[in-house]
Amino acid sequence: MWKEGNKLVHPFNPELGIGFVRRVDGRYLEVYFPQVEREVTLAAEGSGLTPLVLPPGAAAVLLDGGDEVEIAAYEDGVYELTDGRNIADADLWPLESADNPIERLANLRLDRLGGFRNRVEGMHLSKLREAGGLGSFLGGRIELFPHQLHTALKAVEMDDVRWLLADAVGLGKTIVACLILSALVRTGRAQRALIVAPSTLTVQWLGELYRKFHQVFLLLDEDRIDSVEADYGKGNNPFDVHPYGVISMEQLTDDATLTLAATQADLDLIVVDEAHRMANPDIEAALAPLVRHAKHALLLSATPLSADRGGFFRLLKLLHPENFSSHEEFDRAVASGSAVFPCTSAVRREDLGNWPPRSAQAIDLGPAMKDPKSDPRAAWISEHTRGWLEKREKALVFVHSVKMLTKLKKYLENTTQTHIATFHEEMTEAQRDIEVARFRESNLPVLLCSEAGTEGRNFQFCDRMIHYDLPFDPIALEQRIGRLDRIGRTKDVEIIYFHCAKSKPDVAGLFEKLDLFLRPSAGLDSALSGIAPALEAAAEANTKIDIDELVAGVEKARKGNTQDVPRVIYSDAYDNTQAEEILAMVPEDLETHMRKFTLGAANDLGLRIVEKGSQSLYYIEMGTSLTIDSIPGVADDARWLGTFSREEAIEKDELEFYASGHPLVEGLLLEFEDGPRGRAAIMEIPNNEAEGAGLLCLFKNGPKWRTLVLDTRGDERPDLAEAVLANLSKARPVKPEDWGLDQRFGAGVRELGSMAVLHAPGENLEAAAFFRFVPEA
């Protein structure tokens, strides 16, 4: 049936333009596409190829002489021209008409109906995932907490996002920062971003960004920075070469040339974790220039609470020097309630409600010893380790010094014949992360942790916390407890500590009197600041402390701590009455439409899809059957095992989360935005209630889109538009010859198309389809 000179359009690659058959070789055709100067070998049968037949009224050019002619009719490989001549198909070439959906439809350059359906679904998804402004946040592999969405939404609404994230320990400041960062990066507002964190948290930041938000940042350690000159040439700025990076606070502080290089890179966004460390003059000197110079800045700290106005003010002044000029003026404005400026979050536990309680258990033992072999605390932990192992429970054990931690590890491993995991400052960042991952994923029952684990780490998966010894600083105790007592936890926070006979000073007794085990100490930083020096002095002198005097001072601060400074500064701060309204902005059917579009587009483009036993879990790979050259931002050999379910993605870290931000989803949406797939179709729709035929046009303006239907008389018919979309899944593709279409069809479509465009000034015509309702069988 195929002959040399036949014209065709590749059914899956219409962007190739019109091709012609150069040679018929048995079951294969050699087809040349002049528009892209490319020759392709195609199967003659089974690939959906049909000859391109120019409809009556179409324009063409004679290959011999170049005369422009008009087609009158076609039969058996020969065209009859309007001037009466008969010309073989191989002797003329169609004149390219405008490649808009109306012209494609008029010239019967049709796409698969499945592609048209997928375009409708893609347009619906593009609008739906905006979610009233929340769209940039919904792709994260996170549980959606309204207080985090509230802060992130308010922040990104500002032209310059310069915020102090000062929520209480465990409420997810890192997640809020990632939400804001992800929104700025994906919308192009931050093309250079740097995260500065203590060295113990840098790898954790990398993991959070990649695993939860599909963001690929690089760790700018010494080796990476040293390799820039060798790989890219002398004089290259590492922050220019690697525009999205994570670097340790210590590294920047120790190397002034790095701070200068980062400043010269004109960062769009800087994020500083544990920003209260900038009270150290050396750290402040290294980081303050970066914060001042960047357009967007996020400072994270749970420390500058209402009782620490000095630390709070210094960070605010760094972010907004024009609004916070002097400490004295700031104090007066706070006192009068006029220090209003939206630049901080300070959500407290009581703002959220429904928080699992803390349960504290004191274990009475004999005197503590320096050697774990004779220490009753070590014996108690050893006795219980085997039971925890059998119950598959996990205990996080805090030990103040690394030396004692090492001794305790050796003792426990000898007495329990069980590997004991460790986390401390003498391990490298990579070693710490590997050990935590191993502890979490295995049946290991105990993790010994030094104070290195008190900042930023999430050990929420542990069943209990044990204090082998207690820190003198109450703030350090709250930081320890905050590793388990975090948002999203559903079971009680079990805290175990020891009452050892003859302890001087009696730290456990003091902390009990201060109610620090059961009651969070948010906002009491100043009142608690004298506790550690008093305990250190008592320990050095081997004397008792005046517990009653210390307790009285803290209780006085608790009663007087009624003014929450961040609430004064940010009058629109989150409260729990806003939760329902915020969560109502999240589309209930977003995951369903994400699945329908992604699988439809992947199937259309020839990706391999394997359902893995549920409506949400799928294996998808690029494979060798791809019908286009590439998908934007997706590697040719990419493959994923993932889910469209947020709940399943959170529960199973090893799965990909097919959501906004995932490279496959974003690549398919880019292909949908820019590609030719699904732009023109003809269909019949079985329906016993709707009647008639007409032109369906899809118009788009940014993420917003709408449908317009004109019937064959040119009248606008919203009722038919609604009926077409409601029954699109039942539509059947139509071959032009089945309807006996002639030159009048092309002319009619052009006329209706010109009328439709007049109904949608300033909007882009994305796709068009001619339809007819037919009775259902």
Side-chain angles (χ1 to χ4, degrees):
M1 61 177 290
W2 289 100
K3 300 178 182 178
E4 292 182 7
N6 282 166
K7 316 296 188 302
L8 58 81
V9 176
H10 196 298
F12 302 116
N13 294 75
E15 73 277 5
L16 297 175
I18 299 171
F20 70 89
V21 179
R22 273 185 168 172
R23 191 162 73 94
V24 179
D25 185 9
R27 293 182 298 163
Y28 296 95
L29 308 177
E30 290 183 7
V31 183
Y32 183 71
F33 294 92
Q35 181 174 309
V36 294
E37 299 182 353
R38 180 175 166 188
E39 186 171 286
V40 179
T41 299
L42 301 170
E45 296 181 10
S47 57
L49 297 177
T50 54
L52 174 67
V53 177
L54 300 180
V61 61
L62 298 180
L63 296 179
D64 184 12
D67 295 340
E68 290 190 17
V69 296
E70 184 178 344
I71 304 298
Y74 173 82
E75 183 176 357
D76 195 25
V78 176
Y79 284 101
E80 180 184 344
L81 307 181
T82 54
D83 61 11
R85 286 182 291 172
N86 292 319
I87 301 294
D89 181 15
D91 294 331
L92 56 75
W93 188 260
L95 281 175
E96 292 289 339
S97 56
D99 197 32
N100 62 56
I102 294 297
E103 281 301 315
R104 292 180 64 166
L105 186 57
N107 289 322
L108 300 178
R109 291 179 56 189
L110 306 176
D111 299 311
R112 290 179 59 252
L113 183 56
F116 181 81
R117 285 197 191 99
N118 191 242
R119 179 159 295 277
V120 174
E121 190 62 50
M123 294 174 73
H124 186 72
L125 175 63
S126 295
K127 180 180 180 181
L128 189 68
R129 73 175 189 156
E130 291 295 304
L134 292 182
S136 296
F137 311 138
L138 300 183
R141 185 200 297 265
I142 56 171
E143 188 172 349
L144 299 176
F145 291 110
H147 74 281
Q148 296 174 347
L149 297 176
H150 173 272
T151 299
L153 187 60
K154 294 295 182 182
V156 299
E157 286 175 350
M158 304 182 74
D159 291 334
D160 293 348
V161 182
R162 300 181 65 81
W163 276 59
L164 171 58
L165 302 178
D167 299 337
V169 173
L171 298 192
K173 292 181 295 298
T174 302
I175 294 297
V176 176
C178 287
L179 287 170
I180 297 171
L181 176 150
S182 188
L184 294 176
V185 170
R186 297 207 180 284
T187 56
R189 296 171 63 187
Q191 298 181 24
R192 296 175 186 273
L194 181 67
I195 297 167
V196 183
S199 59
T200 55
L201 300 178
T202 52
V203 175
Q204 181 176 324
W205 268 96
L206 290 173
E208 292 280 287
L209 286 166
Y210 179 74
R211 191 174 64 254
K212 293 183 178 178
F213 294 92
H214 314 294
Q215 293 285 353
V216 180
F217 275 58
L218 287 176
L219 179 61
L220 301 179
D221 56 12
E222 291 183 6
D223 290 341
R224 175 84 64 179
I225 289 173
D226 290 343
S227 69
V228 167
E229 186 170 312
D231 295 342
Y232 298 93
K234 189 175 182 179
N236 274 285
N237 187 329
F239 301 99
D240 285 330
V241 172
H242 304 298
Y244 297 108
V246 178
I247 194 168
S248 76
M249 191 176 286
E250 296 87 339
Q251 197 174 345
L252 279 176
T253 304
D254 293 342
D255 189 347
T257 59
L258 275 180
T259 299
L260 179 61
T263 305
Q264 292 173 341
D266 290 328
L267 299 171
D268 298 309
L269 168 65
I270 183 167
V271 180
V272 180
D273 197 5
E274 305 295 341
H276 54 271
R277 292 193 180 195
M278 293 175 69
N280 180 310
D282 292 336
I283 297 176
E284 194 272 344
L287 301 187
L290 299 180
V291 177
R292 294 191 189 100
H293 196 69
K295 178 177 177 62
H296 309 294
L298 299 174
L299 306 182
L300 284 68
S301 177
T303 295
L305 305 173
S306 54
D308 183 19
R309 286 194 189 175
F312 199 84
F313 169 75
R314 286 192 296 274
L315 295 180
L316 290 175
K317 182 175 175 61
L318 185 59
L319 291 169
H320 296 282
E322 71 284 0
N323 291 92
F324 304 100
S325 55
S326 71
H327 195 191
E328 294 75 16
E329 184 180 336
F330 174 69
D331 269 344
R332 289 194 296 270
V334 169
S336 65
S338 62
V340 178
F341 189 76
C343 66
T344 183
S345 70
V347 181
R348 303 291 173 255
R349 293 163 59 99
E350 54 268 25
D351 297 328
L352 304 182
N354 298 321
W355 199 276
R358 297 179 179 182
S359 64
Q361 180 184 6
I363 307 297
D364 293 319
L365 298 173
M369 299 294 176
K370 293 183 179 179
D371 188 346
K373 294 178 182 178
S374 53
D375 194 307
R377 298 171 297 178
W380 188 92
I381 295 172
S382 176
E383 290 169 8
H384 287 78
T385 296
R386 182 58 59 180
W388 297 331
L389 179 64
E390 292 173 356
K391 296 177 183 178
R392 301 185 69 86
E393 294 179 348
K394 295 185 180 297
L396 176 67
V397 181
F398 272 104
V399 186
H400 183 69
S401 79
V402 177
K403 184 177 180 180
M404 179 59 74
L405 184 152
T406 304
K407 290 181 179 179
L408 182 59
K409 171 183 169 66
K410 184 176 180 180
Y411 167 78
L412 292 175
E413 289 185 334
N414 287 336
T415 58
T416 66
Q417 298 299 302
T418 302
H419 176 74
I420 302 297
T422 57
F423 184 102
H424 55 78
E425 52 268 34
E426 293 183 5
M427 301 167 68
T428 67
E429 289 91 342
Q431 288 172 332
R432 286 193 288 258
D433 285 304
I434 292 171
E435 190 79 343
V436 170
R438 180 185 180 190
F439 176 64
R440 176 172 183 165
E441 300 303 325
S442 69
N443 195 28
L444 296 178
V446 174
L447 172 66
L448 301 180
C449 186
S450 74
E451 304 298 347
T454 61
E455 286 188 325
R457 278 283 171 180
N458 180 0
F459 293 113
Q460 190 181 104
F461 58 89
C462 293
D463 297 282
R464 62 186 51 83
M465 171 182 295
I466 300 171
H467 300 278
Y468 186 79
D469 46 23
L470 289 167
F472 285 176
D473 187 353
I475 303 301
L477 175 68
E478 182 64 24
Q479 293 252 349
R480 282 185 178 187
I481 297 174
R483 299 314 97 211
L484 266 65
D485 194 5
R486 307 181 70 80
I487 190 164
R489 188 178 180 91
T490 56
K491 53 189 173 184
D492 292 1
V493 181
E494 183 181 342
I495 304 166
I496 296 173
Y497 59 98
F498 300 105
H499 267 307
C500 292
K502 301 181 181 180
S503 292
K504 290 184 180 179
D506 184 7
V507 181
L510 173 60
F511 285 0
E512 285 176 337
K513 286 286 187 72
L514 293 172
D515 201 12
L516 296 180
F517 294 109
L518 297 176
R519 190 174 177 183
S521 57
L524 297 175
D525 304 59
S526 294
L528 295 172
S529 62
I531 301 292
L535 287 172
E536 289 167 359
E540 187 173 347
N542 195 26
T543 60
K544 292 185 177 181
I545 54 174
D546 190 338
I547 290 181
D548 293 336
E549 181 182 352
L550 292 173
V551 170
V554 172
E555 285 303 314
K556 181 180 178 181
R558 275 197 172 115
K559 292 177 181 177
N561 187 21
T562 57
Q563 186 180 50
D564 198 339
V565 178
R567 295 281 188 181
V568 176
I569 297 169
Y570 185 24
S571 58
D572 192 24
Y574 174 81
D575 66 69
N576 217 24
T577 63
Q578 299 167 298
E580 188 175 341
E581 180 183 355
I582 293 170
L583 292 179
M585 298 168 64
V586 181
E588 292 182 4
D589 53 353
L590 178 61
E591 292 174 11
T592 298
H593 286 283
M594 183 68 71
R595 177 173 56 83
K596 288 175 67 177
F597 167 75
T598 303
L599 295 181
N603 181 66
D604 235 18
L605 297 174
L607 279 76
R608 183 182 175 217
I609 304 171
V610 180
E611 186 176 339
K612 290 293 184 177
S614 75
Q615 284 289 308
S616 298
L617 185 61
Y618 291 87
Y619 173 80
I620 305 175
E621 73 171 295
M622 295 288 282
T624 58
S625 302
L626 199 65
T627 59
I628 59 176
D629 288 338
S630 63
I631 296 175
V634 177
D636 292 341
D637 58 351
R639 62 193 67 190
W640 311 267
L641 176 62
T643 178
F644 292 94
S645 164
R646 179 181 302 278
E647 183 178 344
E648 189 172 28
I650 293 172
E651 181 184 348
K652 301 174 181 176
D653 271 358
E654 67 274 13
L655 297 179
E656 300 278 337
F657 183 29
Y658 299 131
S660 294
H662 188 277
L664 175 63
V665 171
E666 295 302 322
L668 292 175
L669 283 167
L670 281 173
E671 187 278 334
F672 146 78
E673 290 278 355
D674 301 331
R677 191 169 52 86
R679 301 277 184 179
I682 299 177
M683 58 188 169
E684 61 182 23
I685 306 173
N687 190 280
N688 290 329
E689 297 179 2
E691 296 181 348
L695 178 69
L696 169 70
C697 294
L698 304 179
F699 287 99
K700 192 169 183 289
N701 188 4
K704 297 179 180 179
W705 70 285
R706 68 187 184 98
T707 57
L708 174 71
V709 165
L710 299 181
D711 62 21
T712 53
R713 294 189 300 270
D715 295 330
E716 186 175 356
R717 296 288 300 274
D719 58 322
L720 291 186
E722 184 178 343
V724 170
L725 292 183
N727 294 277
L728 193 58
S729 61
K730 299 190 296 184
R732 300 189 294 247
V734 173
K735 295 181 179 180
E737 58 267 27
D738 293 343
W739 281 3
L741 300 180
D742 56 24
Q743 68 267 25
R744 292 174 296 176
F745 176 77
V749 165
R750 291 186 181 93
E751 183 177 356
L752 289 176
S754 63
M755 296 169 64
V757 170
L758 294 177
H759 286 273
E763 299 179 53
N764 295 319
L765 178 62
E766 290 288 304
F770 195 84
F771 67 90
R772 182 170 69 186
F773 285 104
V774 297
E776 288 191 82

